[in-house]
Amino acid sequence: MKKAKTCTSKANMIGPRIKAARQAAGMTQKDLCVKLELMAVYICRGSLSRIENGTRTVNDMEIDAISKALNVPLDVLFGR
């Protein structure tokens, strides 16, 4: 039986590190969304907010694009 998600469970583990990297780069959420759109990865600002606070899942293609857009290695986003 699948365990039900609770309101305290997280949908991803890298959201806070994405937020920290974005802020360190001096970018707003909108700035990052625009940069991602230029890479043909469409994440609206609201979705990015949910990624950063851990309530939205983020797929591998999005993680890779975010890493490139922020110019940070994937290892940084995964906390390695």
Side-chain angles (χ1 to χ4, degrees):
M1 182 180 251
K2 261 185 159 179
K3 186 177 178 182
K5 246 187 187 185
T6 65
C7 59
T8 58
S9 66
K10 294 289 183 179
N12 74 63
M13 63 183 214
I14 67 168
R17 286 187 286 277
I18 289 172
K19 181 177 183 176
R22 176 183 57 76
Q23 290 174 332
M27 297 174 74
T28 66
Q29 289 178 335
K30 181 70 175 169
D31 294 335
L32 179 53
C33 291
V34 168
K35 199 165 184 180
L36 290 168
E37 187 172 340
L38 293 172
M39 301 168 67
V41 175
Y42 303 99
I43 300 175
C44 71
R45 198 215 49 82
S47 288
L48 179 58
S49 177
R50 289 188 295 281
I51 289 169
E52 288 182 352
N53 70 29
T55 59
R56 178 192 180 276
T57 59
V58 56
N59 67 43
D60 54 352
M61 192 171 73
E62 292 170 332
I63 294 168
D64 186 56
I66 290 168
S67 170
K68 290 174 183 170
L70 293 173
N71 198 32
V72 296
L74 286 169
D75 282 349
V76 169
L77 296 182
F78 283 103
R80 294 184 261 190

